[in-house]
Amino acid sequence: MTVSPDLDRRFRDAAATLGLIDVGYDIVDSPIGDLLVAASDRGLATISFDPDPGERLEQLARMAGPRVLRSPRSVDGARRELDEYFAGRRRAFDLTLDLRKLPAFTISVLDELAGVPYGETTTYGALAQRVGHPRAARAVGTVMNRNRIPIVLPCHRVVGSTGNLTGYAGGLDRKFKLLELEGAR
């Protein structure tokens, strides 16, 4: 049986309205490629550079609950702010984030990362210093690599100690484009 697009949309909207979704997601078009964006009732849960949702959706289900459904309405706020960011009209995000099930060290690093201003960069070592673990630059790098909410939590603003671009889960080309958009390159 084939379901019409209208019936499918109404089903997804009704599920969202009735609170029957643990995590809603959609694929958001951006200048750096399609992004999988997902939100729970607690806030923005992920932005993924891999628009093929398979494994990421399984992770979200383990984190927030099994009712994970494509629901464009669930990510409207994030989509709007991302569009504004990419259009150069937004320098800071005003989104609630769902960081549940992350270790305390990771949350402390992400909190410091959120304070790195638009158009500026910092180093892994500087972030480690700011969270009170000056020898933990590699651990900070691991947190950046596993950041569930890139762009909003701007791990692209973290560079190597020499100022060189280093690893980025979305690829160095995306990191460069994001820094270029912000005028940091």
Side-chain angles (χ1 to χ4, degrees):
M1 178 171 112
T2 303
V3 176
S4 73
D6 181 58
L7 179 60
D8 182 65
R9 181 193 50 75
R10 291 186 321 184
F11 164 77
R12 292 170 194 281
D13 287 348
T17 299
L18 295 170
L20 299 176
I21 300 174
D22 295 320
V23 177
Y25 74 93
D26 199 15
I27 306 300
V28 174
D29 182 47
S30 85
I32 59 169
D34 289 342
L35 303 170
L36 181 138
V37 179
S40 72
D41 61 347
R42 294 185 186 187
L44 182 62
T46 198
I47 295 175
S48 175
F49 296 110
D50 183 2
D52 179 18
E55 187 174 326
R56 185 56 62 120
L57 296 181
E58 289 177 28
Q59 292 170 345
L60 289 167
R62 286 191 300 273
M63 177 192 83
R67 300 176 302 182
V68 178
L69 183 68
R70 187 165 188 172
S71 172
R73 186 169 131 192
S74 298
V75 300
D76 280 347
R79 179 192 326 270
R80 179 182 47 76
E81 290 198 22
L82 286 166
D83 286 347
E84 292 168 357
Y85 169 80
F86 285 117
R89 295 188 315 267
R90 175 171 291 279
R91 292 177 170 246
F93 291 93
D94 187 30
L95 298 166
T96 303
L97 306 180
D98 184 347
L99 300 177
R100 74 178 110 172
K101 297 197 176 181
L102 292 177
F105 176 76
T106 297
I107 290 174
S108 69
V109 171
L110 293 176
D111 283 345
E112 286 297 326
L113 173 66
V116 177
Y118 180 95
E120 295 182 24
T121 59
T122 190
T123 65
Y124 299 97
L127 273 181
Q129 183 77 32
R130 292 203 312 242
V131 297
H133 296 278
R135 295 183 181 166
R138 285 183 188 232
V140 166
T142 299
V143 170
M144 297 302 102
N145 182 264
R146 295 180 182 164
N147 179 6
R148 291 195 312 227
I149 311 174
I151 304 168
V152 172
L153 291 173
C155 50
H156 61 277
R157 295 180 190 154
V158 183
V159 297
S161 61
T162 63
N164 291 332
L165 297 188
T166 56
Y168 189 63
L172 288 180
D173 58 326
R174 283 190 179 113
K175 185 172 189 166
F176 182 82
K177 287 178 184 177
L178 290 167
L179 291 172
E180 191 174 53
L181 170 78
E182 295 183 8
R185 276 314 225 212

